[in-house]
Amino acid sequence: MSTRELGGTWFVTREARAMAACWGMHLDFGPDVAGGAMFPLLEMFADMENGMSVVEGGAQRLPSALAAVLAEQGGEVRTGAEVDRVLCRAAGPSVCAAPAAAAR
């Protein structure tokens, strides 16, 4: 079943159909992808049962908090650097024109 079929079959209001469509698109499933309704069904039932977690203060707070934890452990978040390869076994990225950053 596609997300569009899920909305049209099981939901009456435009708002409920839109909610199902949003969860389907969350995994980059277009509205007519066969099997695309699986994630919206799972997500909506899990949200109804357990509540939905939302980051207080906005979504940017989550990566900021993760970067703070990394910094506390002596790590560094680098942005704007071109990565030419990723070394396996958690060795870290290889950044162009910069020494390799080793992961621990």
Side-chain angles (χ1 to χ4, degrees):
M1 174 178 275
S2 72
T3 303
R4 188 184 313 270
E5 291 170 324
L6 171 71
T9 301
W10 295 102
F11 299 109
V12 176
T13 67
R14 292 179 59 183
E15 293 83 2
R17 289 178 180 169
M19 181 179 63
C22 289
W23 282 122
M25 302 280 280
H26 184 71
L27 292 179
D28 291 334
F29 288 160
D32 297 312
V33 172
M38 183 56 69
F39 182 74
L41 278 174
L42 291 172
E43 184 64 37
M44 287 187 289
F45 280 109
D47 292 345
M48 286 187 289
E49 183 68 25
N50 303 307
M52 185 175 179
S53 298
V54 177
V55 178
E56 186 176 332
Q60 179 56 41
R61 299 274 314 269
L62 180 59
S64 295
L66 292 172
V69 170
L70 179 64
E72 288 172 8
Q73 299 298 315
E76 175 186 7
V77 175
R78 295 185 194 175
T79 61
E82 183 179 334
V83 175
D84 61 357
R85 62 192 164 133
V86 175
L87 307 174
C88 297
R89 300 189 192 274
S94 173
V95 180
C96 295
R104 291 185 251 171

